[in-house]
Amino acid sequence: MLLLLPPSETKRDGGADASRLDLAALSSPQLTPQRRRALAALRTVSRSVEAATRALRLGPTMRFEIDRNRAISTSPTMPALERYTGVVYDHLDVATLAADARAFASGRVAIHSALFGLLDADDPIPAYRFSHDARVPGLRLRDLWRTPIAALLDARAGLILDLRSEAYVELGEAPVRAGAVFLRVVTEGSDGAVRALNHFNKRGKGELVRAILESGVDHDSVDSLIDWAMASGIHLRHGAPGEVELRV
């Protein structure tokens, strides 16, 4: 089973003493050429405050993000699952997971970064700013990532629960033939109509991932996941072909 998460634009500062970014230490080494290209483009654009502000779509109070990018090769690292913050990660709340639940995430949780491609939960990364909508000269993220990410996911055995936003799916789809399903978080109104959610989309995904990690169950199929959810009081069910719906 693979739980495929989106990244977050916000990151936690800090990391392990004396640690530094080492691409050779990251999972999915076949992505190293793409990672090098993305890092080189980010370093180049970050030399200019004006260019970086425009390319990374930063506001006037976000100069610190450019400073983070300038220090990306020398700043300390921490596991990817602990680096990201924001609604999904706040409700996953990795810091309060029991040791066995945190260990269960290794190899079963992946994060799709616009800078690094697919990251394992334990991959050590620095703080940075580089999102799916970055417009860096000489680098088209869709061209960079779409084929290699799709190939990695296609080769993955077992169930893939895709919790990414549509913007990140565009940077590498999870093929249905690989046993992948896309998760939509929805609500059913008093009129019976089912509607997709926004803020609660992220909250629901974070809470679902936490519940799966705490359960320690490695689901091999969508039916197994849905049966477990039903027994756990989680409203997860089949949606459109290639989708499951989490109702909140």
Side-chain angles (χ1 to χ4, degrees):
M1 177 180 62
L2 181 68
L3 305 172
L4 183 52
L5 295 175
S8 172
E9 291 188 357
T10 56
K11 318 288 191 301
R12 185 169 288 107
D13 285 316
D17 291 343
S19 61
R20 298 290 184 270
L21 176 63
D22 178 7
L23 294 183
L26 302 182
S27 61
S28 302
Q30 55 269 62
L31 297 180
T32 298
Q34 288 82 8
R35 290 165 174 162
R36 291 191 187 281
R37 282 188 59 197
L39 281 163
L42 182 60
R43 290 190 187 102
T44 298
V45 79
S46 295
R47 292 172 187 162
S48 164
V49 172
E50 181 181 356
T53 298
R54 182 172 57 252
L56 304 178
R57 301 171 182 265
L58 301 176
T61 64
M62 302 178 76
R63 165 64 190 264
F64 73 94
E65 298 280 18
I66 301 172
D67 294 335
R68 277 178 167 178
N69 290 343
R70 288 176 171 179
I72 199 167
S73 297
T74 57
S75 58
T77 64
M78 68 173 66
L81 193 59
E82 298 165 22
R83 175 66 72 189
Y84 295 98
T85 60
V87 178
V88 171
Y89 295 91
D90 289 348
H91 287 274
L92 196 165
D93 198 9
V94 64
T96 64
L97 285 173
D100 57 348
R102 177 62 183 86
F104 190 74
S106 180
R108 296 182 180 88
V109 173
I111 301 163
H112 186 172
S113 161
L115 183 61
F116 296 110
L118 287 189
L119 293 167
D120 182 75
D122 293 329
D123 280 344
I125 59 169
Y128 67 93
R129 179 62 177 250
F130 194 70
S131 303
H132 67 87
D133 59 353
R135 297 292 183 268
V136 176
L139 190 72
R140 293 191 61 184
L141 291 177
R142 193 174 184 275
D143 293 344
L144 182 72
W145 291 121
R146 186 171 177 84
T147 297
I149 295 294
L152 271 176
L153 295 176
D154 195 23
R156 176 86 185 203
L159 173 66
I160 300 175
L161 183 59
D162 191 347
L163 298 103
R164 297 174 297 169
S165 64
E166 292 182 3
Y168 278 92
V169 172
E170 281 293 308
L171 300 185
E173 292 187 36
V176 174
R177 64 180 177 277
V181 288
F182 183 74
L183 179 75
R184 295 177 70 237
V185 182
V186 301
T187 185
E188 187 171 346
S190 57
D191 58 358
V194 174
R195 299 177 177 85
L197 297 175
N198 293 319
H199 175 83
F200 287 104
N201 182 323
K202 296 180 179 180
R203 174 178 174 176
K205 289 177 179 179
E207 291 175 346
L208 176 63
V209 171
R210 183 182 178 93
I212 293 172
L213 296 181
E214 290 180 328
S215 76
V217 179
D218 196 351
H219 300 284
D220 59 2
S221 68
V222 177
D223 288 339
S224 170
L225 178 64
I226 290 176
D227 288 346
W228 163 82
M230 184 180 299
S232 303
I234 298 170
H235 303 290
L236 192 67
R237 64 193 68 186
H238 288 283
E243 292 186 352
V244 291
E245 294 178 347
L246 174 64
R247 300 200 177 194
V248 300

